[in-house]
Amino acid sequence: MKKVFSYQTAIGKLTVAENGEAITNLYFQEEAVPQDVIYEETELLREAGLQLTAYFAGDRKDFDLPFAPQGTVFMKQVWEALLTIPYGETRTYREIAEAIGSPTAVRAVGNANSKNPLSIFIPCHRVIGSKGELTGYLGGLKAKQFLLELEKRRKC
């Protein structure tokens, strides 16, 4: 049974879930949290909350937490590639497809990106369209813009 706890952030309430060993999901305010969870702030969730707070304050550029996102082998390949995008930088869907050795899988990369269960922790907000445009984001385009601007300001 997963445990979850919510944290208020600059982009709204974020709910983090864990399975007893690793962080499994991050839910945005607008997302439905599964009903079969226990609301309890564990040590791991507390640490995730502290790291999120530091990230939003501009004091943390990456996360040091155990993650266990659920997805296909391809999705996990994409998510691993997202973790290589440096703080404050962006990549296109095509660049991610090329990075994982599937240059024609641009749409599949976009699909995997949209199913990332650990947004912010696994920085799918750093992926943009081929012409530099912001594309869909589960937390909304305003949140994506905020995260990109936060990182750009604090990149130094």
Side-chain angles (χ1 to χ4, degrees):
M1 171 103 20
K2 287 186 179 180
K3 293 185 179 176
V4 301
F5 203 77
S6 298
Y7 302 93
Q8 194 58 43
T9 72
I11 59 170
K13 182 176 82 169
L14 299 176
T15 301
V16 183
E18 60 113 312
N19 65 8
E21 296 177 7
I23 302 297
T24 59
N25 299 82
L26 182 141
Y27 300 98
F28 289 96
Q29 187 166 301
E30 300 78 20
E31 282 185 274
V33 176
Q35 295 197 0
D36 62 340
V37 297
I38 298 170
Y39 280 84
E40 177 185 326
E41 188 177 37
T42 65
E43 192 71 30
L44 181 56
L45 292 174
R46 183 175 302 111
E47 181 59 29
L50 290 170
Q51 289 189 27
L52 279 170
T53 298
Y55 169 81
F56 281 103
D59 297 330
R60 177 174 278 280
K61 295 183 178 181
D62 51 20
F63 297 94
D64 183 23
L65 297 163
F67 296 124
Q70 296 299 304
T72 66
V73 171
F74 181 81
M75 288 175 173
K76 289 179 180 180
Q77 256 189 313
V78 170
W79 301 335
E80 284 294 320
L82 300 180
L83 289 168
T84 68
I85 304 171
Y87 181 93
E89 294 185 20
T90 58
R91 299 291 184 269
T92 65
Y93 294 99
R94 179 167 310 285
E95 288 172 318
I96 298 299
E98 291 169 354
I100 64 169
S102 299
T104 62
V106 176
R107 286 181 190 242
V109 165
N111 185 53
N113 203 51
S114 73
K115 292 187 173 32
N116 173 11
L118 289 167
S119 292
I120 302 174
F121 294 125
I122 297 176
C124 56
H125 61 276
R126 295 179 189 157
V127 182
I128 58 173
S130 60
K131 295 177 182 154
E133 72 277 12
L134 294 188
T135 54
Y137 187 62
L138 191 58
L141 290 182
K142 284 184 181 179
K144 184 172 186 167
Q145 182 71 42
F146 178 90
L147 296 170
L148 292 173
E149 288 177 5
L150 169 74
E151 292 185 7
K152 189 175 180 180
R153 284 192 313 266
R154 301 290 188 162
K155 188 176 176 187
C156 313

